[in-house]
Amino acid sequence: MPVVKYPRLRDPLFYEWDRKAQKCGLRHTIYAVNGDQYTGEWLDNLRHGKGTQIWKSSGAIYSGDWKFGKRDGYGSYSVLDPATKEYKRVYTGWWQNDRRSGRGTFFYPNGELYEGEWSNGLRSGWGKMHYKDGSTYEGQWLMDQPNGQGLLQLPNGNRYNGGWKDGKKHGPGKYFYPDKGQLLEGIWVADIPKCAVLVEFGRENAPAPPELPLPEIKLQDPAGVLAEAQAMFDDNHN
Protein backbone atom coordinates (compact mmCIF):
# COMPACT_ATOMS: atom_id res chain seq x y z
CA MET A 1 0.00 0.00 0.00
CA PRO A 2 1.55 3.26 -1.04
CA VAL A 3 2.38 5.80 1.69
CA VAL A 4 0.73 9.15 1.14
CA LYS A 5 2.70 12.13 2.42
CA TYR A 6 0.88 15.31 3.19
CA PRO A 7 2.71 18.62 3.40
CA ARG A 8 3.20 19.91 6.94
CA LEU A 9 0.74 22.60 7.87
CA ARG A 10 2.30 26.01 8.34
CA ASP A 11 0.92 29.14 9.93
CA PRO A 12 -0.05 31.92 7.56
CA LEU A 13 2.73 34.39 6.84
CA PHE A 14 0.98 37.24 8.62
CA TYR A 15 1.35 35.30 11.91
CA GLU A 16 5.11 35.50 11.50
CA TRP A 17 4.98 39.13 10.50
CA ASP A 18 2.89 39.95 13.54
CA ARG A 19 5.28 38.09 15.84
CA LYS A 20 8.22 40.03 14.49
CA ALA A 21 6.32 43.28 14.84
CA GLN A 22 5.66 42.75 18.55
CA LYS A 23 7.71 45.33 20.42
CA CYS A 24 9.44 44.29 23.63
CA GLY A 25 12.50 45.76 25.33
CA LEU A 26 14.41 48.85 24.30
CA ARG A 27 13.62 50.13 20.81
CA HIS A 28 14.70 53.04 18.69
CA THR A 29 12.12 55.61 17.66
CA ILE A 30 8.78 54.11 16.62
CA TYR A 31 6.48 56.25 14.48
CA ALA A 32 2.70 55.91 14.71
CA VAL A 33 0.41 56.34 11.72
CA ASN A 34 -0.66 59.79 12.96
CA GLY A 35 2.94 60.97 13.19
CA ASP A 36 3.44 60.56 16.96
CA GLN A 37 6.79 59.12 17.92
CA TYR A 38 8.08 57.14 20.89
CA THR A 39 11.59 56.18 21.90
CA GLY A 40 12.15 53.86 24.80
CA GLU A 41 11.19 50.58 26.40
CA TRP A 42 8.31 48.27 25.50
CA LEU A 43 6.56 45.26 26.97
CA ASP A 44 4.06 43.14 25.04
CA ASN A 45 3.72 45.83 22.38
CA LEU A 46 2.98 48.53 24.97
CA ARG A 47 5.13 51.43 26.15
CA HIS A 48 6.49 50.17 29.45
CA GLY A 49 9.53 51.38 31.40
CA LYS A 50 11.49 54.51 30.51
CA GLY A 51 10.59 56.38 27.37
CA THR A 52 9.90 59.64 25.56
CA GLN A 53 6.73 60.38 23.59
CA ILE A 54 6.26 63.31 21.18
CA TRP A 55 2.76 64.16 19.94
CA LYS A 56 2.85 65.53 16.39
CA SER A 57 -0.46 67.44 16.57
CA SER A 58 0.53 69.58 19.57
CA GLY A 59 4.30 69.18 19.68
CA ALA A 60 4.00 68.22 23.35
CA ILE A 61 6.62 65.91 24.83
CA TYR A 62 6.59 63.55 27.81
CA SER A 63 9.73 61.92 29.14
CA GLY A 64 9.60 59.52 32.05
CA ASP A 65 8.05 56.30 33.29
CA TRP A 66 5.40 54.24 31.49
CA LYS A 67 3.30 51.30 32.58
CA PHE A 68 1.33 49.20 30.11
CA GLY A 69 0.98 52.05 27.63
CA LYS A 70 0.18 54.84 30.08
CA ARG A 71 2.22 57.46 31.90
CA ASP A 72 2.81 55.97 35.33
CA GLY A 73 5.64 56.83 37.71
CA TYR A 74 7.83 59.93 37.55
CA GLY A 75 7.99 62.09 34.46
CA SER A 76 7.99 65.54 32.90
CA TYR A 77 5.49 66.97 30.41
CA SER A 78 6.28 70.02 28.27
CA VAL A 79 4.63 71.88 25.41
CA LEU A 80 6.09 73.71 22.45
CA ASP A 81 5.82 77.50 22.47
CA PRO A 82 4.69 78.45 18.93
CA ALA A 83 6.33 81.88 19.22
CA THR A 84 9.79 80.93 20.50
CA LYS A 85 9.78 77.32 19.25
CA GLU A 86 11.13 76.33 22.66
CA TYR A 87 9.70 73.84 25.11
CA LYS A 88 8.02 75.09 28.27
CA ARG A 89 7.54 72.83 31.26
CA VAL A 90 3.96 72.19 32.22
CA TYR A 91 4.24 69.47 34.85
CA THR A 92 7.04 67.60 36.57
CA GLY A 93 6.19 64.94 39.11
CA TRP A 94 4.38 61.69 39.64
CA TRP A 95 1.74 60.06 37.43
CA GLN A 96 -0.68 57.20 37.78
CA ASN A 97 -2.85 55.72 35.03
CA ASP A 98 -1.98 58.61 32.67
CA ARG A 99 -3.02 61.29 35.20
CA ARG A 100 -1.14 63.52 37.62
CA SER A 101 -1.09 61.70 40.95
CA GLY A 102 1.21 62.11 43.94
CA ARG A 103 3.60 65.02 44.43
CA GLY A 104 4.33 67.30 41.51
CA THR A 105 4.83 70.85 40.26
CA PHE A 106 2.52 72.44 37.69
CA PHE A 107 3.49 75.55 35.72
CA TYR A 108 0.50 77.57 34.48
CA PRO A 109 0.65 79.62 31.24
CA ASN A 110 0.02 82.88 33.13
CA GLY A 111 3.05 82.37 35.38
CA GLU A 112 1.27 80.85 38.35
CA LEU A 113 2.76 77.80 40.04
CA TYR A 114 1.45 74.93 42.15
CA GLU A 115 3.67 72.65 44.22
CA GLY A 116 2.03 69.81 46.07
CA GLU A 117 -0.10 66.72 45.92
CA TRP A 118 -2.39 65.53 43.13
CA SER A 119 -5.08 62.91 42.76
CA ASN A 120 -6.68 61.80 39.50
CA GLY A 121 -5.27 64.84 37.71
CA LEU A 122 -6.57 67.40 40.25
CA ARG A 123 -4.93 69.27 43.13
CA SER A 124 -5.82 67.21 46.19
CA GLY A 125 -3.96 66.85 49.45
CA TRP A 126 -1.42 69.35 50.74
CA GLY A 127 0.02 71.97 48.42
CA LYS A 128 1.12 75.54 47.87
CA MET A 129 -0.21 77.80 45.12
CA HIS A 130 1.69 80.88 43.92
CA TYR A 131 -0.75 83.27 42.26
CA LYS A 132 0.03 85.84 39.59
CA ASP A 133 -0.81 88.81 41.85
CA GLY A 134 1.84 87.73 44.38
CA SER A 135 -0.45 86.07 46.90
CA THR A 136 0.05 82.49 48.05
CA TYR A 137 -2.13 79.78 49.52
CA GLU A 138 -0.65 76.86 51.41
CA GLY A 139 -2.80 74.16 52.90
CA GLN A 140 -5.25 71.42 52.08
CA TRP A 141 -6.88 70.91 48.67
CA LEU A 142 -9.73 68.80 47.39
CA MET A 143 -10.96 68.47 43.79
CA ASP A 144 -8.75 71.38 42.63
CA GLN A 145 -10.04 73.80 45.32
CA PRO A 146 -8.72 74.91 48.74
CA ASN A 147 -10.60 72.70 51.17
CA GLY A 148 -9.76 72.09 54.83
CA GLN A 149 -7.16 74.14 56.71
CA GLY A 150 -5.00 76.65 54.91
CA LEU A 151 -3.11 79.93 55.01
CA LEU A 152 -3.71 82.67 52.43
CA GLN A 153 -1.11 85.45 52.32
CA LEU A 154 -1.74 88.60 50.28
CA PRO A 155 0.92 90.85 48.71
CA ASN A 156 0.13 93.66 51.17
CA GLY A 157 0.96 91.42 54.14
CA ASN A 158 -2.61 90.64 55.17
CA ARG A 159 -3.28 86.95 55.76
CA TYR A 160 -6.07 84.56 56.59
CA ASN A 161 -5.47 81.35 58.49
CA GLY A 162 -8.39 78.98 58.99
CA GLY A 163 -10.98 76.79 57.36
CA TRP A 164 -11.81 76.55 53.66
CA LYS A 165 -14.50 74.88 51.59
CA ASP A 166 -14.83 74.82 47.79
CA GLY A 167 -12.18 77.52 47.45
CA LYS A 168 -13.78 79.95 49.92
CA LYS A 169 -13.09 80.85 53.53
CA HIS A 170 -15.42 78.66 55.56
CA GLY A 171 -15.39 77.79 59.24
CA PRO A 172 -13.28 79.12 62.12
CA GLY A 173 -10.50 81.45 61.02
CA LYS A 174 -8.34 84.45 61.76
CA TYR A 175 -7.75 87.38 59.41
CA PHE A 176 -4.67 89.45 60.25
CA TYR A 177 -4.21 93.10 59.20
CA PRO A 178 -0.54 93.81 60.09
CA ASP A 179 -0.65 97.25 58.47
CA LYS A 180 -3.46 98.28 60.83
CA GLY A 181 -2.44 96.18 63.80
CA GLN A 182 -5.82 94.44 63.88
CA LEU A 183 -7.10 90.88 63.94
CA LEU A 184 -10.53 89.63 62.92
CA GLU A 185 -11.32 86.26 64.49
CA GLY A 186 -14.53 84.38 63.99
CA ILE A 187 -16.63 82.09 61.83
CA TRP A 188 -16.71 82.39 58.01
CA VAL A 189 -19.37 81.07 55.67
CA ALA A 190 -18.68 81.17 51.91
CA ASP A 191 -16.05 83.94 52.27
CA ILE A 192 -18.22 86.07 54.57
CA PRO A 193 -17.49 86.51 58.32
CA LYS A 194 -20.81 85.67 60.01
CA CYS A 195 -19.72 86.00 63.62
CA ALA A 196 -16.40 87.66 64.39
CA VAL A 197 -14.56 89.83 66.90
CA LEU A 198 -12.17 92.58 65.77
CA VAL A 199 -9.29 93.22 68.19
CA GLU A 200 -6.03 95.14 68.10
CA PHE A 201 -2.57 93.63 68.28
CA GLY A 202 0.74 95.41 67.82
CA ARG A 203 -0.96 98.72 67.09
CA GLU A 204 2.11 100.65 68.21
CA ASN A 205 4.26 98.99 65.54
CA ALA A 206 1.68 98.99 62.72
CA PRO A 207 2.68 101.15 59.72
CA ALA A 208 -0.83 102.53 59.12
CA PRO A 209 -3.02 102.10 62.22
CA PRO A 210 -6.50 103.68 62.30
CA GLU A 211 -6.63 107.19 63.76
CA LEU A 212 -8.80 106.05 66.65
CA PRO A 213 -8.41 102.85 68.65
CA LEU A 214 -11.20 100.31 68.63
CA PRO A 215 -13.88 100.90 71.25
CA GLU A 216 -13.91 98.45 74.10
CA ILE A 217 -16.13 95.45 73.53
CA LYS A 218 -18.78 95.28 76.22
CA LEU A 219 -18.74 91.52 76.41
CA GLN A 220 -17.51 89.77 79.51
CA ASP A 221 -16.53 86.69 77.52
CA PRO A 222 -15.86 87.28 73.80
CA ALA A 223 -14.23 83.87 73.59
CA GLY A 224 -17.43 82.35 74.92
CA VAL A 225 -19.42 84.06 72.16
CA LEU A 226 -17.10 82.59 69.54
CA ALA A 227 -17.29 79.18 71.16
CA GLU A 228 -21.09 79.37 71.03
CA ALA A 229 -20.95 80.41 67.37
CA GLN A 230 -18.58 77.54 66.69
CA ALA A 231 -21.03 75.10 68.27
CA MET A 232 -23.86 76.46 66.14
CA PHE A 233 -21.70 76.22 63.04
CA ASP A 234 -20.82 72.60 63.80
CA ASP A 235 -24.47 71.72 64.35
CA ASN A 236 -25.48 73.25 61.01
CA HIS A 237 -22.70 71.45 59.10
CA ASN A 238 -22.95 67.96 60.56
Side-chain angles (χ1 to χ4, degrees):
M1 183 175 181
V3 177
V4 180
K5 293 184 178 181
Y6 295 95
R8 187 174 58 182
L9 294 177
R10 297 183 61 184
D11 292 332
L13 283 177
F14 69 83
Y15 279 16
E16 180 67 14
W17 297 338
D18 184 65
R19 185 186 65 80
K20 291 182 178 180
Q22 292 295 313
K23 295 177 285 294
C24 192
L26 181 62
R27 288 292 188 96
H28 295 297
T29 302
I30 302 294
Y31 293 88
V33 176
N34 62 2
D36 295 348
Q37 60 185 69
Y38 172 82
T39 305
E41 297 176 301
W42 297 79
L43 179 64
D44 295 335
N45 219 33
L46 295 173
R47 291 161 294 182
H48 189 90
K50 301 287 185 182
T52 299
Q53 167 92 9
I54 300 178
W55 287 267
K56 182 180 180 181
S57 60
S58 63
I61 181 172
Y62 169 81
S63 183
D65 296 325
W66 297 81
K67 187 175 181 181
F68 301 120
K70 296 183 178 181
R71 290 168 291 185
D72 200 297
Y74 189 85
S76 180
Y77 178 78
S78 303
V79 296
L80 188 64
D81 188 328
T84 63
K85 303 300 180 181
E86 296 180 352
Y87 279 100
K88 289 186 176 181
R89 284 185 301 170
V90 175
Y91 176 77
T92 298
W94 292 91
W95 302 74
Q96 185 177 36
N97 198 30
D98 227 26
R99 293 177 178 268
R100 295 182 292 273
S101 185
R103 290 198 60 84
T105 302
F106 192 93
F107 303 85
Y108 292 85
N110 63 357
E112 295 182 343
L113 170 70
Y114 172 80
E115 304 171 281
E117 297 176 313
W118 298 79
S119 179
N120 201 30
L122 301 176
R123 293 169 291 184
S124 292
W126 189 271
K128 184 174 184 178
M129 184 74 188
H130 301 261
Y131 295 98
K132 188 177 181 180
D133 63 359
S135 60
T136 62
Y137 169 83
E138 183 173 9
Q140 295 174 303
W141 295 76
L142 182 64
M143 300 295 290
D144 234 24
Q145 296 284 355
N147 203 95
Q149 293 295 309
L151 171 64
L152 174 67
Q153 299 192 75
L154 303 180
N156 62 4
N158 293 351
R159 64 187 186 274
Y160 169 82
N161 191 4
W164 295 80
K165 183 179 180 182
D166 299 330
K168 297 181 179 181
K169 295 181 282 293
H170 195 85
K174 297 179 180 180
Y175 204 115
F176 296 86
Y177 300 89
D179 57 335
K180 298 179 180 179
Q182 295 179 339
L183 163 65
L184 183 64
E185 181 178 3
I187 307 295
W188 270 257
V189 176
D191 259 353
I192 300 175
K194 292 294 185 178
C195 179
V197 176
L198 184 64
V199 297
E200 292 183 338
F201 76 100
R203 176 186 173 87
E204 61 280 0
N205 297 322
E211 295 183 4
L212 300 175
L214 292 172
E216 294 185 5
I217 300 176
K218 296 182 179 180
L219 290 175
Q220 295 182 352
D221 185 16
V225 174
L226 291 178
E228 183 178 350
Q230 173 69 64
M232 295 176 61
F233 178 85
D234 293 339
D235 290 341
N236 293 331
H237 291 80
N238 287 335

